[in-house]
Amino acid sequence: MVKYENRLKDSELDLIFSALADSTRRQLLDKLSQGEAQVMELAEPFEMSLAAVSKHLSVLEKAGLIKRFKDGRMRRCQLQAESLASASEWIDHYRKYWQSQLDSLAD
């Protein structure tokens, strides 16, 4: 098997997959996939404090999955899909490997 040459460092992939490991953060990303949103809007469906949601957003931001910015007095968030694309490329490389293994078993 050919070694995968990723354009991201391992530490960056670690941050992405660690951020994606939590269901709350995945739900936040899902909401942001519909468009940018205010932090208060993102926190609304969760039974946790605004500070707890903010910590989740910080993890996503550190992983490069979202961008937070101020819009007047409001804090807004926006999905940054480039990091997800890099993680998807990494997964796709191994999907192709496993698919070829399964094809070999079928033969």
Side-chain angles (χ1 to χ4, degrees):
M1 184 172 146
V2 176
K3 183 176 181 336
Y4 178 68
E5 294 296 328
N6 191 0
R7 58 190 168 120
L8 288 179
K9 297 177 188 174
D10 282 344
S11 60
E12 292 170 322
L13 269 178
D14 290 347
L15 288 173
I16 293 167
F17 285 118
S18 179
L20 295 174
D22 184 89
S23 65
T24 299
R25 292 191 286 266
R26 290 191 305 271
Q27 289 175 56
L28 290 166
L29 289 175
D30 186 50
K31 175 71 174 162
L32 288 170
S33 72
Q34 299 167 24
E36 70 179 48
Q38 294 178 11
V39 172
M40 292 295 286
E41 293 171 337
L42 293 170
E44 195 173 287
F46 300 103
E47 292 184 15
M48 64 179 74
S49 68
L50 188 56
V53 171
S54 185
K55 286 182 182 182
H56 283 292
L57 293 172
S58 292
V59 171
L60 293 170
E61 186 175 34
K62 185 176 180 182
L65 297 170
I66 69 166
K67 178 182 177 185
R68 289 197 285 185
F69 55 94
K70 247 182 157 176
D71 182 14
R73 293 186 335 175
M74 301 297 214
R75 297 256 180 214
R76 301 186 67 75
C77 297
Q78 182 178 56
L79 182 66
Q80 298 294 109
E82 298 83 17
S83 293
L84 284 174
S86 297
S88 179
E89 288 172 18
W90 186 89
I91 291 169
D92 191 51
H93 172 75
Y94 290 98
R95 183 196 56 79
K96 290 175 186 173
Y97 169 75
W98 282 109
Q99 188 63 49
S100 71
Q101 295 297 314
L102 292 172
D103 289 346
S104 294
L105 284 174
D107 291 341

